[in-house]
Amino acid sequence: MRVLLIEDDLHTAGFIAKGLREDGHAVDQADNGKDGLFLATTEPYDALVLDRMLPGLDGLTLLQTLRGAGNRTPVLLLTALGEVDHRVEGLRAGADDYLVKPFAYAELSARLDSIARRGSAGGSEPTRLRVADLELDLLSREARRSGKRIELQPREFRLLEYLMRQAERVVTRTMLLEAVWDYHFDPQTNVIDVHISRLRQKIDQGYPKPLLHTVRGAGYRLGA
């Protein structure tokens, strides 16, 4: 999934972002309400993790603005305020779920998957991608080809998800660096070649028809 994390506490934001990326999600971050609202209204996200108390624009106002504009992206609201009245206020403002600090990352991850699943059932982004006989379940984090499970590391999962979302299109190295590694520069390493090679072995080796193709001088293409 592509997740927007809006949290001004650097320690909390770093903790959450690290966990989300290890789970294979693409994460954008904002440390204040105004920047968060700008990203939430100009970029497509599968889910938002939103702190209630933010500088510039508080989380509830941000949320109400999004909902008022018709934005239905699932939102998990984070707060240090755990009283019933506060939870009700957050849910009535448009949050899909509410998590009180401090929390365990595992609970945040489970709640995020849950609201994304509900959002998918409501008609937003798909949670299962398919290219030929290759399938990727974005919620259970499972990849299968011809029904056979493929074990992927988090970065490999994220790489495959991106390639499947761009199926049949040529994907350049710059696109991969930005979307999968969050690099906005060329690190001058062979990190892409190494991961593409590993992924190709896992999804194509032993199958009569390869799906991951190198397009000479351009990049890569996933497709039949």
Side-chain angles (χ1 to χ4, degrees), residues 107-154:
E107 183 177 5
L108 181 145
S109 177
R111 287 176 181 265
L112 195 61
D113 284 348
S114 176
I115 64 172
R117 190 181 301 116
R118 294 203 299 268
S120 175
S124 62
E125 287 288 310
T127 58
R128 186 182 295 270
L129 304 177
R130 184 180 181 93
V131 175
D133 57 350
L134 179 64
E135 291 183 282
L136 195 66
D137 190 316
L138 303 180
L139 296 180
S140 65
R141 321 296 296 170
E142 288 185 356
R144 294 180 182 274
R145 183 165 184 188
S146 296
K148 182 179 179 182
R149 184 168 180 173
I150 301 169
E151 297 293 338
L152 296 175
Q153 296 298 314

mmCIF file of all heavy atoms in Angstrom, residues 107-154:
data_model
loop_
_atom_site.group_PDB
_atom_site.id
_atom_site.type_symbol
_atom_site.label_atom_id
_atom_site.label_comp_id
_atom_site.label_asym_id
_atom_site.label_seq_id
_atom_site.Cartn_x
_atom_site.Cartn_y
_atom_site.Cartn_z
ATOM 1 N N GLU A 107 -0.202 -3.709 16.573
ATOM 2 C CA GLU A 107 -1.612 -3.322 16.598
ATOM 3 C C GLU A 107 -1.894 -2.265 15.533
ATOM 4 O O GLU A 107 -2.920 -2.327 14.846
ATOM 5 C CB GLU A 107 -1.997 -2.781 17.973
ATOM 6 C CG GLU A 107 -3.489 -2.440 18.045
ATOM 7 C CD GLU A 107 -3.931 -1.972 19.420
ATOM 8 O OE1 GLU A 107 -3.072 -1.818 20.314
ATOM 9 O OE2 GLU A 107 -5.154 -1.754 19.591
ATOM 10 N N LEU A 108 -0.989 -1.308 15.383
ATOM 11 C CA LEU A 108 -1.176 -0.296 14.332
ATOM 12 C C LEU A 108 -1.240 -0.966 12.958
ATOM 13 O O LEU A 108 -2.101 -0.652 12.133
ATOM 14 C CB LEU A 108 -0.037 0.726 14.370
ATOM 15 C CG LEU A 108 -0.123 1.854 13.331
ATOM 16 C CD1 LEU A 108 0.414 3.158 13.903
ATOM 17 C CD2 LEU A 108 0.648 1.515 12.046
ATOM 18 N N SER A 109 -0.328 -1.905 12.712
ATOM 19 C CA SER A 109 -0.276 -2.585 11.424
ATOM 20 C C SER A 109 -1.583 -3.337 11.164
ATOM 21 O O SER A 109 -2.138 -3.281 10.060
ATOM 22 C CB SER A 109 0.909 -3.560 11.402
ATOM 23 O OG SER A 109 0.939 -4.276 10.187
ATOM 24 N N ALA A 110 -2.084 -4.035 12.184
ATOM 25 C CA ALA A 110 -3.325 -4.808 12.023
ATOM 26 C C ALA A 110 -4.521 -3.890 11.771
ATOM 27 O O ALA A 110 -5.375 -4.171 10.925
ATOM 28 C CB ALA A 110 -3.569 -5.659 13.262
ATOM 29 N N ARG A 111 -4.590 -2.787 12.502
ATOM 30 C CA ARG A 111 -5.708 -1.853 12.314
ATOM 31 C C ARG A 111 -5.641 -1.183 10.943
ATOM 32 O O ARG A 111 -6.669 -0.956 10.301
ATOM 33 C CB ARG A 111 -5.701 -0.797 13.422
ATOM 34 C CG ARG A 111 -6.147 -1.326 14.775
ATOM 35 C CD ARG A 111 -6.019 -0.257 15.859
ATOM 36 N NE ARG A 111 -6.427 -0.769 17.159
ATOM 37 C CZ ARG A 111 -7.648 -0.626 17.665
ATOM 38 N NH1 ARG A 111 -8.572 0.010 16.981
ATOM 39 N NH2 ARG A 111 -7.935 -1.104 18.848
ATOM 40 N N LEU A 112 -4.431 -0.890 10.493
ATOM 41 C CA LEU A 112 -4.273 -0.269 9.172
ATOM 42 C C LEU A 112 -4.740 -1.229 8.071
ATOM 43 O O LEU A 112 -5.441 -0.826 7.137
ATOM 44 C CB LEU A 112 -2.808 0.117 8.961
ATOM 45 C CG LEU A 112 -2.501 1.090 7.824
ATOM 46 C CD1 LEU A 112 -3.198 2.423 8.055
ATOM 47 C CD2 LEU A 112 -0.994 1.298 7.720
ATOM 48 N N ASP A 113 -4.348 -2.485 8.180
ATOM 49 C CA ASP A 113 -4.803 -3.486 7.203
ATOM 50 C C ASP A 113 -6.326 -3.593 7.216
ATOM 51 O O ASP A 113 -6.971 -3.735 6.173
ATOM 52 C CB ASP A 113 -4.196 -4.855 7.514
ATOM 53 C CG ASP A 113 -2.741 -4.944 7.101
ATOM 54 O OD1 ASP A 113 -2.282 -4.041 6.368
ATOM 55 O OD2 ASP A 113 -2.070 -5.891 7.523
ATOM 56 N N SER A 114 -6.905 -3.528 8.425
ATOM 57 C CA SER A 114 -8.346 -3.683 8.555
ATOM 58 C C SER A 114 -9.098 -2.540 7.872
ATOM 59 O O SER A 114 -10.041 -2.773 7.118
ATOM 60 C CB SER A 114 -8.727 -3.745 10.039
ATOM 61 O OG SER A 114 -10.124 -3.804 10.170
ATOM 62 N N ILE A 115 -8.671 -1.297 8.104
ATOM 63 C CA ILE A 115 -9.401 -0.177 7.486
ATOM 64 C C ILE A 115 -9.151 -0.142 5.979
ATOM 65 O O ILE A 115 -10.025 0.249 5.216
ATOM 66 C CB ILE A 115 -9.044 1.181 8.138
ATOM 67 C CG1 ILE A 115 -7.572 1.546 7.924
ATOM 68 C CG2 ILE A 115 -9.399 1.184 9.605
ATOM 69 C CD1 ILE A 115 -7.246 2.964 8.385
ATOM 70 N N ALA A 116 -7.965 -0.578 5.544
ATOM 71 C CA ALA A 116 -7.702 -0.629 4.100
ATOM 72 C C ALA A 116 -8.585 -1.677 3.447
ATOM 73 O O ALA A 116 -9.082 -1.490 2.337
ATOM 74 C CB ALA A 116 -6.237 -0.942 3.849
ATOM 75 N N ARG A 117 -8.789 -2.798 4.145
ATOM 76 C CA ARG A 117 -9.647 -3.863 3.620
ATOM 77 C C ARG A 117 -11.089 -3.356 3.495
ATOM 78 O O ARG A 117 -11.757 -3.588 2.500
ATOM 79 C CB ARG A 117 -9.592 -5.069 4.561
ATOM 80 C CG ARG A 117 -10.244 -6.322 3.992
ATOM 81 C CD ARG A 117 -10.174 -7.455 4.980
ATOM 82 N NE ARG A 117 -8.809 -7.782 5.345
ATOM 83 C CZ ARG A 117 -8.295 -7.654 6.553
ATOM 84 N NH1 ARG A 117 -9.028 -7.190 7.544
ATOM 85 N NH2 ARG A 117 -7.052 -7.979 6.783
ATOM 86 N N ARG A 118 -11.547 -2.636 4.514
ATOM 87 C CA ARG A 118 -12.909 -2.090 4.464
ATOM 88 C C ARG A 118 -13.025 -1.068 3.348
ATOM 89 O O ARG A 118 -14.027 -1.008 2.643
ATOM 90 C CB ARG A 118 -13.271 -1.451 5.803
ATOM 91 C CG ARG A 118 -13.361 -2.436 6.953
ATOM 92 C CD ARG A 118 -14.230 -1.894 8.073
ATOM 93 N NE ARG A 118 -13.711 -0.663 8.630
ATOM 94 C CZ ARG A 118 -12.895 -0.594 9.678
ATOM 95 N NH1 ARG A 118 -12.518 -1.705 10.285
ATOM 96 N NH2 ARG A 118 -12.491 0.556 10.141
ATOM 97 N N GLY A 119 -11.966 -0.257 3.171
ATOM 98 C CA GLY A 119 -11.988 0.729 2.100
ATOM 99 C C GLY A 119 -12.047 0.078 0.747
ATOM 100 O O GLY A 119 -12.747 0.532 -0.153
ATOM 101 N N SER A 120 -11.316 -1.035 0.598
ATOM 102 C CA SER A 120 -11.333 -1.767 -0.664
ATOM 103 C C SER A 120 -12.724 -2.320 -0.942
ATOM 104 O O SER A 120 -13.218 -2.265 -2.065
ATOM 105 C CB SER A 120 -10.322 -2.912 -0.622
ATOM 106 O OG SER A 120 -10.415 -3.671 -1.789
ATOM 107 N N ALA A 121 -13.374 -2.846 0.102
ATOM 108 C CA ALA A 121 -14.724 -3.375 -0.079
ATOM 109 C C ALA A 121 -15.687 -2.277 -0.503
ATOM 110 O O ALA A 121 -16.676 -2.531 -1.169
ATOM 111 C CB ALA A 121 -15.205 -4.013 1.228
ATOM 112 N N GLY A 122 -15.357 -1.012 -0.135
ATOM 113 C CA GLY A 122 -16.208 0.098 -0.510
ATOM 114 C C GLY A 122 -15.939 0.610 -1.896
ATOM 115 O O GLY A 122 -16.546 1.568 -2.350
ATOM 116 N N GLY A 123 -14.949 -0.004 -2.607
ATOM 117 C CA GLY A 123 -14.741 0.353 -3.996
ATOM 118 C C GLY A 123 -13.510 1.182 -4.279
ATOM 119 O O GLY A 123 -13.394 1.729 -5.364
ATOM 120 N N SER A 124 -12.564 1.313 -3.348
ATOM 121 C CA SER A 124 -11.364 2.080 -3.633
ATOM 122 C C SER A 124 -10.301 1.173 -4.246
ATOM 123 O O SER A 124 -10.608 0.293 -5.022
ATOM 124 C CB SER A 124 -10.859 2.750 -2.357
ATOM 125 O OG SER A 124 -10.519 1.769 -1.402
ATOM 126 N N GLU A 125 -9.038 1.326 -3.902
ATOM 127 C CA GLU A 125 -7.953 0.591 -4.520
ATOM 128 C C GLU A 125 -8.092 -0.912 -4.307
ATOM 129 O O GLU A 125 -8.520 -1.368 -3.234
ATOM 130 C CB GLU A 125 -6.631 1.059 -3.928
ATOM 131 C CG GLU A 125 -6.215 2.437 -4.398
ATOM 132 C CD GLU A 125 -5.755 2.435 -5.835
ATOM 133 O OE1 GLU A 125 -4.905 1.601 -6.191
ATOM 134 O OE2 GLU A 125 -6.263 3.260 -6.604
ATOM 135 N N PRO A 126 -7.723 -1.742 -5.303
ATOM 136 C CA PRO A 126 -7.767 -3.191 -5.119
ATOM 137 C C PRO A 126 -6.718 -3.648 -4.116
ATOM 138 O O PRO A 126 -5.687 -2.993 -3.936
ATOM 139 C CB PRO A 126 -7.455 -3.721 -6.521
ATOM 140 C CG PRO A 126 -6.664 -2.634 -7.162
ATOM 141 C CD PRO A 126 -7.230 -1.351 -6.625
ATOM 142 N N THR A 127 -6.980 -4.756 -3.446
ATOM 143 C CA THR A 127 -6.008 -5.296 -2.502
ATOM 144 C C THR A 127 -5.358 -6.557 -3.051
ATOM 145 O O THR A 127 -4.584 -7.197 -2.354
ATOM 146 C CB THR A 127 -6.682 -5.622 -1.161
ATOM 147 O OG1 THR A 127 -7.751 -6.551 -1.405
ATOM 148 C CG2 THR A 127 -7.243 -4.369 -0.526
ATOM 149 N N ARG A 128 -5.715 -6.953 -4.269
ATOM 150 C CA ARG A 128 -5.110 -8.126 -4.895
ATOM 151 C C ARG A 128 -4.755 -7.769 -6.341
ATOM 152 O O ARG A 128 -5.602 -7.317 -7.104
ATOM 153 C CB ARG A 128 -6.085 -9.304 -4.867
ATOM 154 C CG ARG A 128 -5.484 -10.613 -5.373
ATOM 155 C CD ARG A 128 -6.548 -11.700 -5.359
ATOM 156 N NE ARG A 128 -6.986 -12.013 -4.013
ATOM 157 C CZ ARG A 128 -6.432 -12.944 -3.256
ATOM 158 N NH1 ARG A 128 -5.425 -13.666 -3.712
ATOM 159 N NH2 ARG A 128 -6.892 -13.173 -2.046
ATOM 160 N N LEU A 129 -3.469 -7.960 -6.675
ATOM 161 C CA LEU A 129 -3.002 -7.663 -8.026
ATOM 162 C C LEU A 129 -2.752 -8.979 -8.749
ATOM 163 O O LEU A 129 -2.337 -9.965 -8.132
ATOM 164 C CB LEU A 129 -1.705 -6.840 -7.972
ATOM 165 C CG LEU A 129 -1.765 -5.530 -7.178
ATOM 166 C CD1 LEU A 129 -0.391 -4.861 -7.154
ATOM 167 C CD2 LEU A 129 -2.798 -4.581 -7.757
ATOM 168 N N ARG A 130 -2.954 -8.973 -10.082
ATOM 169 C CA ARG A 130 -2.759 -10.189 -10.859
ATOM 170 C C ARG A 130 -2.178 -9.847 -12.220
ATOM 171 O O ARG A 130 -2.660 -8.931 -12.903
ATOM 172 C CB ARG A 130 -4.090 -10.926 -11.042
ATOM 173 C CG ARG A 130 -3.957 -12.254 -11.771
ATOM 174 C CD ARG A 130 -5.307 -12.949 -11.934
ATOM 175 N NE ARG A 130 -5.165 -14.225 -12.608
ATOM 176 C CZ ARG A 130 -5.002 -15.383 -11.987
ATOM 177 N NH1 ARG A 130 -5.008 -15.425 -10.681
ATOM 178 N NH2 ARG A 130 -4.858 -16.509 -12.673
ATOM 179 N N VAL A 131 -1.126 -10.566 -12.593
ATOM 180 C CA VAL A 131 -0.538 -10.478 -13.929
ATOM 181 C C VAL A 131 -0.322 -11.908 -14.406
ATOM 182 O O VAL A 131 0.471 -12.651 -13.803
ATOM 183 C CB VAL A 131 0.803 -9.718 -13.907
ATOM 184 C CG1 VAL A 131 1.445 -9.739 -15.288
ATOM 185 C CG2 VAL A 131 0.589 -8.276 -13.457
ATOM 186 N N ALA A 132 -1.030 -12.306 -15.446
ATOM 187 C CA ALA A 132 -1.006 -13.699 -15.919
ATOM 188 C C ALA A 132 -1.340 -14.617 -14.743
ATOM 189 O O ALA A 132 -2.350 -14.409 -14.083
ATOM 190 C CB ALA A 132 0.329 -14.030 -16.568
ATOM 191 N N ASP A 133 -0.449 -15.586 -14.432
ATOM 192 C CA ASP A 133 -0.737 -16.496 -13.319
ATOM 193 C C ASP A 133 -0.040 -16.070 -12.027
ATOM 194 O O ASP A 133 0.039 -16.841 -11.076
ATOM 195 C CB ASP A 133 -0.346 -17.930 -13.687
ATOM 196 C CG ASP A 133 1.122 -18.039 -14.078
ATOM 197 O OD1 ASP A 133 1.775 -16.982 -14.244
ATOM 198 O OD2 ASP A 133 1.621 -19.165 -14.234
ATOM 199 N N LEU A 134 0.470 -14.846 -12.020
ATOM 200 C CA LEU A 134 1.133 -14.304 -10.825
ATOM 201 C C LEU A 134 0.143 -13.443 -10.041
ATOM 202 O O LEU A 134 -0.491 -12.551 -10.609
ATOM 203 C CB LEU A 134 2.341 -13.462 -11.251
ATOM 204 C CG LEU A 134 3.141 -12.786 -10.153
ATOM 205 C CD1 LEU A 134 3.801 -13.811 -9.225
ATOM 206 C CD2 LEU A 134 4.204 -11.862 -10.760
ATOM 207 N N GLU A 135 0.006 -13.711 -8.728
ATOM 208 C CA GLU A 135 -0.924 -12.975 -7.883
ATOM 209 C C GLU A 135 -0.211 -12.403 -6.676
ATOM 210 O O GLU A 135 0.711 -13.011 -6.128
ATOM 211 C CB GLU A 135 -2.044 -13.899 -7.390
ATOM 212 C CG GLU A 135 -3.004 -14.345 -8.464
ATOM 213 C CD GLU A 135 -4.120 -15.194 -7.878
ATOM 214 O OE1 GLU A 135 -3.863 -16.378 -7.603
ATOM 215 O OE2 GLU A 135 -5.221 -14.664 -7.685
ATOM 216 N N LEU A 136 -0.654 -11.220 -6.262
ATOM 217 C CA LEU A 136 -0.086 -10.572 -5.088
ATOM 218 C C LEU A 136 -1.222 -10.074 -4.209
ATOM 219 O O LEU A 136 -2.022 -9.234 -4.635
ATOM 220 C CB LEU A 136 0.801 -9.397 -5.513
ATOM 221 C CG LEU A 136 1.751 -8.831 -4.462
ATOM 222 C CD1 LEU A 136 2.818 -9.859 -4.084
ATOM 223 C CD2 LEU A 136 2.419 -7.559 -4.965
ATOM 224 N N ASP A 137 -1.289 -10.616 -2.984
ATOM 225 C CA ASP A 137 -2.305 -10.192 -2.027
ATOM 226 C C ASP A 137 -1.690 -9.117 -1.138
ATOM 227 O O ASP A 137 -0.777 -9.394 -0.363
ATOM 228 C CB ASP A 137 -2.778 -11.390 -1.191
ATOM 229 C CG ASP A 137 -3.993 -11.043 -0.349
ATOM 230 O OD1 ASP A 137 -3.996 -9.949 0.256
ATOM 231 O OD2 ASP A 137 -4.927 -11.855 -0.287
ATOM 232 N N LEU A 138 -2.185 -7.880 -1.245
ATOM 233 C CA LEU A 138 -1.570 -6.763 -0.538
ATOM 234 C C LEU A 138 -1.890 -6.761 0.950
ATOM 235 O O LEU A 138 -1.215 -6.075 1.712
ATOM 236 C CB LEU A 138 -2.034 -5.445 -1.165
ATOM 237 C CG LEU A 138 -1.748 -5.292 -2.660
ATOM 238 C CD1 LEU A 138 -2.257 -3.948 -3.159
ATOM 239 C CD2 LEU A 138 -0.257 -5.431 -2.944
ATOM 240 N N LEU A 139 -2.904 -7.489 1.357
ATOM 241 C CA LEU A 139 -3.262 -7.517 2.775
ATOM 242 C C LEU A 139 -2.588 -8.662 3.522
ATOM 243 O O LEU A 139 -2.041 -8.476 4.596
ATOM 244 C CB LEU A 139 -4.784 -7.610 2.932
ATOM 245 C CG LEU A 139 -5.547 -6.400 2.391
ATOM 246 C CD1 LEU A 139 -7.039 -6.585 2.577
ATOM 247 C CD2 LEU A 139 -5.099 -5.123 3.069
ATOM 248 N N SER A 140 -2.615 -9.851 2.939
ATOM 249 C CA SER A 140 -1.943 -10.983 3.592
ATOM 250 C C SER A 140 -0.454 -10.990 3.284
ATOM 251 O O SER A 140 0.305 -11.763 3.860
ATOM 252 C CB SER A 140 -2.565 -12.307 3.140
ATOM 253 O OG SER A 140 -2.337 -12.530 1.767
ATOM 254 N N ARG A 141 -0.010 -10.109 2.371
ATOM 255 C CA ARG A 141 1.399 -9.984 1.975
ATOM 256 C C ARG A 141 1.913 -11.284 1.368
ATOM 257 O O ARG A 141 3.052 -11.697 1.615
ATOM 258 C CB ARG A 141 2.298 -9.580 3.159
ATOM 259 C CG ARG A 141 1.712 -8.566 4.097
ATOM 260 C CD ARG A 141 1.478 -7.250 3.450
ATOM 261 N NE ARG A 141 2.696 -6.598 3.010
ATOM 262 C CZ ARG A 141 2.712 -5.512 2.240
ATOM 263 N NH1 ARG A 141 1.572 -5.002 1.804
ATOM 264 N NH2 ARG A 141 3.837 -4.962 1.890
ATOM 265 N N GLU A 142 1.093 -11.936 0.579
ATOM 266 C CA GLU A 142 1.478 -13.196 -0.036
ATOM 267 C C GLU A 142 1.555 -13.055 -1.553
ATOM 268 O O GLU A 142 0.713 -12.401 -2.170
ATOM 269 C CB GLU A 142 0.468 -14.291 0.303
ATOM 270 C CG GLU A 142 0.527 -14.773 1.736
ATOM 271 C CD GLU A 142 -0.419 -15.934 1.982
ATOM 272 O OE1 GLU A 142 -1.167 -16.317 1.053
ATOM 273 O OE2 GLU A 142 -0.421 -16.446 3.106
ATOM 274 N N ALA A 143 2.575 -13.705 -2.130
ATOM 275 C CA ALA A 143 2.711 -13.775 -3.581
ATOM 276 C C ALA A 143 2.596 -15.231 -3.990
ATOM 277 O O ALA A 143 3.114 -16.128 -3.319
ATOM 278 C CB ALA A 143 4.064 -13.215 -4.017
ATOM 279 N N ARG A 144 1.910 -15.467 -5.099
ATOM 280 C CA ARG A 144 1.759 -16.832 -5.615
ATOM 281 C C ARG A 144 1.842 -16.813 -7.129
ATOM 282 O O ARG A 144 1.368 -15.871 -7.776
ATOM 283 C CB ARG A 144 0.405 -17.439 -5.192
ATOM 284 C CG ARG A 144 0.264 -17.663 -3.705
ATOM 285 C CD ARG A 144 -1.088 -18.253 -3.341
ATOM 286 N NE ARG A 144 -1.228 -18.416 -1.912
ATOM 287 C CZ ARG A 144 -0.814 -19.476 -1.226
ATOM 288 N NH1 ARG A 144 -0.268 -20.493 -1.890
ATOM 289 N NH2 ARG A 144 -0.949 -19.550 0.073
ATOM 290 N N ARG A 145 2.456 -17.872 -7.668
ATOM 291 C CA ARG A 145 2.403 -18.053 -9.118
ATOM 292 C C ARG A 145 1.893 -19.461 -9.395
ATOM 293 O O ARG A 145 2.430 -20.440 -8.854
ATOM 294 C CB ARG A 145 3.772 -17.839 -9.769
ATOM 295 C CG ARG A 145 3.660 -17.958 -11.288
ATOM 296 C CD ARG A 145 4.833 -17.422 -12.056
ATOM 297 N NE ARG A 145 4.539 -17.523 -13.491
ATOM 298 C CZ ARG A 145 5.396 -17.295 -14.463
ATOM 299 N NH1 ARG A 145 6.626 -16.895 -14.154
ATOM 300 N NH2 ARG A 145 5.038 -17.434 -15.714
ATOM 301 N N SER A 146 0.886 -19.552 -10.219
ATOM 302 C CA SER A 146 0.201 -20.820 -10.489
ATOM 303 C C SER A 146 -0.202 -21.496 -9.182
ATOM 304 O O SER A 146 -0.139 -22.723 -9.052
ATOM 305 C CB SER A 146 1.107 -21.745 -11.315
ATOM 306 O OG SER A 146 1.356 -21.184 -12.581
ATOM 307 N N GLY A 147 -0.568 -20.693 -8.194
ATOM 308 C CA GLY A 147 -1.019 -21.214 -6.915
ATOM 309 C C GLY A 147 0.086 -21.556 -5.942
ATOM 310 O O GLY A 147 -0.179 -21.857 -4.778
ATOM 311 N N LYS A 148 1.352 -21.505 -6.396
ATOM 312 C CA LYS A 148 2.484 -21.867 -5.532
ATOM 313 C C LYS A 148 3.011 -20.621 -4.836
ATOM 314 O O LYS A 148 3.316 -19.616 -5.478
ATOM 315 C CB LYS A 148 3.600 -22.493 -6.362
ATOM 316 C CG LYS A 148 4.792 -22.950 -5.536
ATOM 317 C CD LYS A 148 5.851 -23.583 -6.430
ATOM 318 C CE LYS A 148 7.069 -24.021 -5.618
ATOM 319 N NZ LYS A 148 8.119 -24.594 -6.484
ATOM 320 N N ARG A 149 3.102 -20.700 -3.522
ATOM 321 C CA ARG A 149 3.516 -19.535 -2.736
ATOM 322 C C ARG A 149 4.984 -19.182 -2.992
ATOM 323 O O ARG A 149 5.842 -20.067 -3.093
ATOM 324 C CB ARG A 149 3.299 -19.797 -1.249
ATOM 325 C CG ARG A 149 3.618 -18.581 -0.392
ATOM 326 C CD ARG A 149 3.127 -18.737 1.017
ATOM 327 N NE ARG A 149 3.451 -17.568 1.807
ATOM 328 C CZ ARG A 149 3.041 -17.359 3.043
ATOM 329 N NH1 ARG A 149 2.269 -18.257 3.631
ATOM 330 N NH2 ARG A 149 3.374 -16.272 3.707
ATOM 331 N N ILE A 150 5.255 -17.876 -3.079
ATOM 332 C CA ILE A 150 6.613 -17.363 -3.295
ATOM 333 C C ILE A 150 6.999 -16.540 -2.076
ATOM 334 O O ILE A 150 6.290 -15.609 -1.695
ATOM 335 C CB ILE A 150 6.659 -16.480 -4.561
ATOM 336 C CG1 ILE A 150 6.216 -17.263 -5.788
ATOM 337 C CG2 ILE A 150 8.060 -15.912 -4.754
ATOM 338 C CD1 ILE A 150 5.976 -16.392 -7.013
ATOM 339 N N GLU A 151 8.122 -16.883 -1.454
ATOM 340 C CA GLU A 151 8.593 -16.141 -0.287
ATOM 341 C C GLU A 151 9.361 -14.911 -0.745
ATOM 342 O O GLU A 151 10.327 -15.010 -1.505
ATOM 343 C CB GLU A 151 9.504 -17.031 0.578
ATOM 344 C CG GLU A 151 8.807 -18.246 1.173
ATOM 345 C CD GLU A 151 7.753 -17.858 2.208
ATOM 346 O OE1 GLU A 151 7.847 -16.743 2.761
ATOM 347 O OE2 GLU A 151 6.829 -18.674 2.434
ATOM 348 N N LEU A 152 8.921 -13.737 -0.276
ATOM 349 C CA LEU A 152 9.561 -12.487 -0.666
ATOM 350 C C LEU A 152 10.006 -11.708 0.567
ATOM 351 O O LEU A 152 9.284 -11.657 1.567
ATOM 352 C CB LEU A 152 8.596 -11.616 -1.469
ATOM 353 C CG LEU A 152 8.120 -12.150 -2.824
ATOM 354 C CD1 LEU A 152 7.069 -11.209 -3.401
ATOM 355 C CD2 LEU A 152 9.283 -12.314 -3.783
ATOM 356 N N GLN A 153 11.166 -11.072 0.471
ATOM 357 C CA GLN A 153 11.591 -10.124 1.486
ATOM 358 C C GLN A 153 10.778 -8.838 1.298
ATOM 359 O O GLN A 153 10.234 -8.590 0.213
ATOM 360 C CB GLN A 153 13.088 -9.830 1.346
ATOM 361 C CG GLN A 153 13.980 -11.045 1.587
ATOM 362 C CD GLN A 153 13.837 -11.575 3.003
ATOM 363 O OE1 GLN A 153 13.846 -10.797 3.962
ATOM 364 N NE2 GLN A 153 13.673 -12.887 3.131
ATOM 365 N N PRO A 154 10.660 -8.012 2.351
ATOM 366 C CA PRO A 154 9.835 -6.804 2.236
ATOM 367 C C PRO A 154 10.175 -5.926 1.030
ATOM 368 O O PRO A 154 9.279 -5.440 0.338
ATOM 369 C CB PRO A 154 10.112 -6.073 3.552
ATOM 370 C CG PRO A 154 10.394 -7.169 4.521
ATOM 371 C CD PRO A 154 11.161 -8.190 3.729
#
